[in-house]
Amino acid sequence: MDLDLSEEQQMLVDMTRGMLEEHSTIDVVRSMEDDPRGYPDELWKQMGELGLNGILIPESHGGSGQTLLEAALVYEELGRALAPVPHFVSAVMSARLLMEAGSDDQKDAWLEKIANGDAILTPAWLEPDRGFGPVGVKLAAKADGDGFTLTGTKRHVYFASAADRMIVLARSDAGVDLFLVDPAAPGVTLTHQLSQASDAQYRVDFDGVRVAAGDRIGAAGSGGAAFEKGMLDGIILLAAQAVGGAERALEETVQYAKERVQFDKPLGAFQALAHYMADASTGIDGSRVLVHEAAWNRAQGRSISRFAPMAKLFACETYREVTRVCAQIWGGVAFTREYDIQIFFRHAKQLQLSWWDTPYLEELVAADVLDR
Amino acid sequence: MDFDFSPEEQKFAEEVEQWLVENHDPVVMDPTRENFSQLADTPERRAFMKKLAKKGWLGMSWPKKYGGQEIEGVYEFILNEALSRHAAPQIGKGVGIIGKTLIRHGSEKLKQEFLPKILDAEIEFAVGYSEPQAGSDAANMQLKAEKVDGGWKLNGQKMWTTSAHFADWYWVGARTDPDKPKHDGLSLFLIPMDHPGLEVQSLPTIGKDTTNQVFFEDVFVPDDYLVGKRGQGFQMISEALDLERFTMFTLSPIADRSRVLIEWVRTATRDDQPLRNDPNVRRIIAHIATDTAVAKGLSTRFVCAAKEGGKPPTIQSSQYKLFTTTLSQRVCKDALDVAGAAGQLREGQEDAPLAGRFEGAYRATMNETVGGGSSEIQKNIIARRKLGLPKNF
């Protein structure tokens, strides 16, 4: 047993953190809040130059083909920096879907561009008043000559206005299919929606949008399974992101608790507050080791059907609770926009609500434990 | 990064597991005693410890010159987890706290006298730190040790000496220097438990077992039986606790209770429906399974920190103890909630679900967040040593 990072892994962490400290400062994060495009060019360029966008993409397609463990280490840093980048939707989810189910032509067309940051792809998945499960996908894909027409509505499509393609989950006669769709295609309407984390997310309406047969990813009816598989990887990274965010929120709060004086003592000298922070620290370290174990298992080629949902369930609940407690310790200023702790407070809850929420993850864990 | 035991460690774990299966004895191994099953408090359990000694499994991490094998502490961790998983007596006190302290600080005489007996499982110890006025404030011991010709005369009282009614020797902290600051005025003594000046009174717990209070009346201890240096008692106690905290609350019994509950939920029914179909039950089980995985991760953290050597893994073991003992209680509470009204039936009642295991465990685990440094003490340790926050009491 050994929880240390390898020298290469530590270098990856240091390099990523160093870049983010320069290019994803809190001012940059604030400047992107509610921005319809949602990410700054310079930060995205830096991510590409460091090879972070190709971290999970094989070398044959222009990436570095590293394991989910390395990716998780990067996600901890992205979480710390609250980095406003379309990395997850493009370099993780879309890349994984293409790698898992894409044709050679589709891989050749997109993976290298994703890896060097020249293209952004984003999944269009959730629908109004529908859940996270496969049954939630209702947007209709009707066979139409040599292709399909898509009709319906998607929500929470991140960075849609900047995307070169969406990967749309749609319901065809065969089941759930994945389609590559240009957000600028006729019949597609994008509506920017303001969110808790002030990110760039869109409602996307599809009104008889034509899709060529060659733009379906994978065999008919195979899209749901491919998406679930990609999600199991993806949620480990989001759990890592939660760990990073929670740790930074706690660090800044601990620092504040050493400086801010009330009743002639620093806040940290009050046991009620010190114990909040000790609990927060324990939750964060517990989250991190669970996330690492999940990512390590994936890197070893072992099943993550239990570890992955556990990791996101626990890490996101920890992030939310840690930021609640941090806000409490900051006191009234946490309620103002001027101070930064509120940004973590909002991000934490949105991360918990997104990409499989707590009830959905609880059911995944319960099914794995009780029904197999 | 590697979450697996090494092949050698794995081989040892398998060897221990197989040996414990082959040597299974319900008289020795009683999971319903919960945390008290770690005590070698009956002739059968002492005989079991002798068998462990014969296997060479006592003192594995000790230096060779004292009869050990100088192998990594992780083997003792593996052994203790396996023993506790089988509800067998464990190696914590003698090999861990007393043996290791004697090796580091004891005189040649005490080493010669006690170390071989510890390795041969010939001796059981009771540990006496707590007193009526020294609970979480452990350094506030008042047991008086007065210098007399050739030794010390002890008067006062100890609390929560769990093993006092069966142990052979008593490992006791006492105040030798009342004029010094409280942390610097304590010394450690070894006293035969059958000393006529000791009176052991049973304090039955809400679980199945008893703990004790012990009264000292003019208990004479020869100079030779003061351990280490006079006035260094508290430092030695803290050091040993840092090294051994994790042996006091092993993960296996807690993980095993989670497993027992999950197995039960998989097959139980209510109103003719499988209990596992109840959404509320599913939610509870999801969190138990997840939190148990986190506890295992926190345990892996301190094992790895301990393996690196250098500083004892104080922070990691405090985080582990805080999280895991809280979880331990919650699993018992949740199990009773899941069992419904029948959960209130005690062990021995025909209709008690799971033979009343969780009603018993609900009681027995009450003390886990108190003993061995309460949750609040662990939080103080984490706040100060990990987060660098100022002293808060």
Side-chain angles (χ1 to χ4, degrees), chain B residues 233-248:
Chain B
F234 193 73
Q235 285 68 30
M236 289 188 278
I237 289 169
S238 304
E239 180 188 279
L241 271 181
D242 273 352
L243 292 170
E244 298 301 320
R245 186 170 279 123
F246 68 85
T247 68
M248 292 189 288

Side-chain angles (χ1 to χ4, degrees), chain A residues 4 285 302 362 371-372, chain B residues 4 266 282 287 308 386:
Chain A
D4 289 344
D285 286 334
R302 300 182 191 175
E362 287 169 344
D371 302 340
R372 279 151 64 99
Chain B
D4 288 340
R266 284 170 72 102
R282 294 177 77 76
H287 284 278
E308 294 202 341
K386 166 144 202 199

Side-chain angles (χ1 to χ4, degrees), chain A residues 98-250:
Chain A
L98 287 167
M99 282 151 59
E100 174 72 23
S103 66
D104 287 345
D105 285 350
Q106 289 165 341
K107 289 180 192 170
D108 290 343
W110 295 111
L111 284 177
E112 190 164 348
K113 284 187 181 169
I114 292 173
N116 59 31
D118 286 344
I120 292 169
L121 274 68
T122 185
W125 168 31
L126 298 174
E127 299 183 24
D129 303 319
R130 304 196 66 81
F132 289 103
V135 73
V137 176
K138 200 183 173 191
L139 183 138
K142 235 174 92 185
D144 178 9
D146 59 350
F148 299 86
T149 51
L150 306 186
T151 302
T153 298
K154 292 290 181 183
R155 278 191 200 156
H156 313 294
V157 184
Y158 305 94
F159 302 99
S161 71
D164 297 277
R165 291 289 183 277
M166 297 179 287
I167 296 180
V168 181
L169 283 81
R171 175 78 49 186
S172 73
D173 291 341
V176 173
D177 285 334
L178 306 172
F179 295 101
L180 286 160
V181 180
D182 187 341
V188 176
T189 309
L190 306 184
T191 310
H192 183 207
Q193 293 196 308
L194 299 180
S195 71
Q196 187 166 37
S198 293
D199 57 1
Q201 59 172 274
Y202 287 80
R203 172 194 165 111
V204 183
D205 291 293
F206 297 76
D207 182 10
V209 177
R210 282 281 305 160
V211 184
D215 284 334
R216 189 180 68 206
I217 300 174
S222 70
F227 192 77
E228 302 264 309
K229 204 170 163 192
M231 278 294 290
L232 279 181
D233 284 356
I235 58 175
I236 293 176
L237 302 184
L238 296 180
Q241 185 176 327
V243 170
E247 183 161 84
R248 171 134 171 243
L250 180 62

Side-chain angles (χ1 to χ4, degrees), chain A residues 68-111:
Chain A
L68 204 73
L69 184 54
E70 280 76 27
L73 299 174
V74 168
Y75 264 77
E76 235 174 279
E77 298 307 316
L78 294 174
R80 277 186 73 85
L82 300 166
V85 282
H87 190 279
F88 185 74
V89 292
S90 190
V92 177
M93 287 305 295
S94 296
R96 295 293 288 117
L97 293 174
L98 287 167
M99 282 151 59
E100 174 72 23
S103 66
D104 287 345
D105 285 350
Q106 289 165 341
K107 289 180 192 170
D108 290 343
W110 295 111
L111 284 177

